[in-house]
Amino acid sequence: MSFNRFYVSIIVQVILIGISTSIFVWTYSQEYMLITRYSLIILWIFQLFMLIRFINKISRDLKKFLLSIKYKDTSIKFNTNKRNPFNELHESFTEILNAFREVRIEKESEYHFFQTSIEHVNVGLLAFNTDGQIKLCNQAARDLLGVKSLVNISSLKRIKPELPKVLEKLKPNHPEILSLKNENKLSKLSLNATNLKIKEETIKLISIQNITNELEQGEMEAWQKLIKVITHEILNSVSPITLLSSGLINIFEENGQQIPLNKLEENNIKESLTGLKVIQNRSKSLSAFVDDYRLSMQIPAPNFEFVSVQEIFKSMAVLFKEELDQKNIDFTWAASENDSIQADKKLIEQVLINLINNSIYFTQNIKKPQIKLAIQTENQQTKIWVSDNGSGIEPEIIDQIFIPFFS
């Protein structure tokens, strides 16, 4: 059993004290044993002293053990000699301290791993308490903020006067972008915060990322998209205008020579006037489109008015006539004089031009290509249909057709 030697020592000392006390009482009936009586008193006092000393030894060892735990001192040694009456107790103390030492070593290893990982990441990490005292600041954060060391966020005033207040007021899940000039280089930093509570102390942890390159790349992509939009819309309009103008030239020229006016038919003049009007209208619409883009830097807001669907369809037929004839595409349209819609004429024409261009492209390998324009009104809704007998849209990409410039 545990502490047997300790129990035996206590019992033996108590028994000896009891025997000494009994003998001392007996000597009172023997008057001639005066010296023995005083000797027993001395022996009894000595036995009490040894018992108290023995118990105090346990108290001192226990206090020593508890203090080593309190101050995390695992270097303290206890006597584990088998002859020692406190051997089993000391062995238990030693086992607990060894286990505590292992836990401490493991904790220090984890902390070292944590610190190494924090220093290794490219994201800046900064943590401070409500007094602004720095609890964590990795190398990435120091590099981004342009400091060699940091004790309190108040020292960041020399970098940017309002920076400490920005960090203190930063709310979780409300990232902010901060412009910071470091070594004559302007950087855009993304700041994101989260609040932690450790041992009744509130800690604010802030991640810092340099997003300068991303923002510059985003601006570049925005400009590229803008240029693509304008180029896309201009080319879609210019291509049929070019073909239409070539067809009109062919009416008045033959083998590079002007055809005499007396040989021109009245129908040729009507077709030419119609074609020129279409070119004029399309040119005006295209110029207005570019102007709107230049002013607003976005797709222009529609200017709604009632427009004739028949007139729009006729314009498309004239605009694409040369290209449709060259590619032997059967182009038909159906709309009555009473068919009208409330729309922006310039924009709806641009939509139809884009759709017809797509239809022309995707029917080029069809034996008898066909493109149809139609209007349908039902339940107080008007639908304009642009259909062809091309290959159609594959099911797996149909969700992407409204992505700009996706084919």
Side-chain angles (χ1 to χ4, degrees), residues 53-107:
R53 182 173 178 272
F54 188 81
I55 294 173
N56 283 340
K57 180 69 168 65
I58 294 294
S59 178
R60 286 195 302 272
D61 288 344
L62 183 59
K63 183 178 180 180
K64 180 181 177 182
F65 169 73
L66 294 176
L67 287 175
S68 67
I69 295 293
K70 179 180 179 180
Y71 295 108
K72 301 178 182 179
D73 182 8
T74 57
S75 62
I76 294 177
K77 303 293 183 182
F78 290 94
N79 183 10
T80 55
N81 192 325
K82 291 185 178 180
R83 294 182 179 179
N84 179 14
F86 307 106
N87 177 51
E88 293 179 354
L89 180 63
H90 287 173
E91 285 182 350
S92 298
F93 286 168
T94 302
E95 288 178 5
I96 293 173
L97 287 177
N98 288 338
F100 183 75
R101 185 185 301 112
E102 291 296 326
V103 171
R104 185 178 178 183
I105 292 173
E106 184 179 351
K107 184 179 178 181

Side-chain angles (χ1 to χ4, degrees), residues 354-368:
N354 292 337
L355 292 174
I356 294 170
N357 269 320
N358 287 341
S359 293
I360 291 173
Y361 180 81
F362 287 104
T363 55
Q364 59 187 350
N365 296 322
I366 305 299
K367 289 184 178 180
K368 294 182 179 181

Side-chain angles (χ1 to χ4, degrees), residues 304-331:
F304 290 105
E305 60 179 335
F306 284 98
V307 294
S308 169
V309 176
Q310 188 183 71
E311 182 183 337
I312 295 174
F313 285 0
K314 282 182 180 180
S315 297
M316 294 299 107
V318 174
L319 187 62
F320 285 96
K321 183 178 185 304
E322 293 298 324
E323 188 173 5
L324 294 169
D325 290 344
Q326 286 179 12
K327 297 181 179 180
N328 296 317
I329 297 175
D330 180 21
F331 182 85

Side-chain angles (χ1 to χ4, degrees), residues 60 79 93 125 170 210 229 253 360 383 387 399:
R60 286 195 302 272
N79 183 10
F93 286 168
L125 294 175
L170 191 62
N210 189 346
V229 168
E253 284 187 353
I360 291 173
K383 298 178 182 178
S387 59
D399 291 337

Side-chain angles (χ1 to χ4, degrees), residues 246-263:
S246 298
L248 294 177
I249 291 173
N250 291 333
I251 293 176
F252 295 95
E253 284 187 353
E254 187 174 351
N255 298 324
Q257 299 295 323
Q258 182 178 334
I259 297 175
L261 294 177
N262 55 6
K263 290 186 177 181

Side-chain angles (χ1 to χ4, degrees), residues 280-298:
Q280 182 186 45
N281 291 334
R282 195 62 228 151
S283 298
K284 288 180 179 179
S285 298
L286 190 57
S287 297
F289 178 85
V290 174
D291 286 340
D292 288 338
Y293 243 107
R294 178 171 56 84
L295 294 173
S296 63
M297 298 296 286
Q298 59 184 3

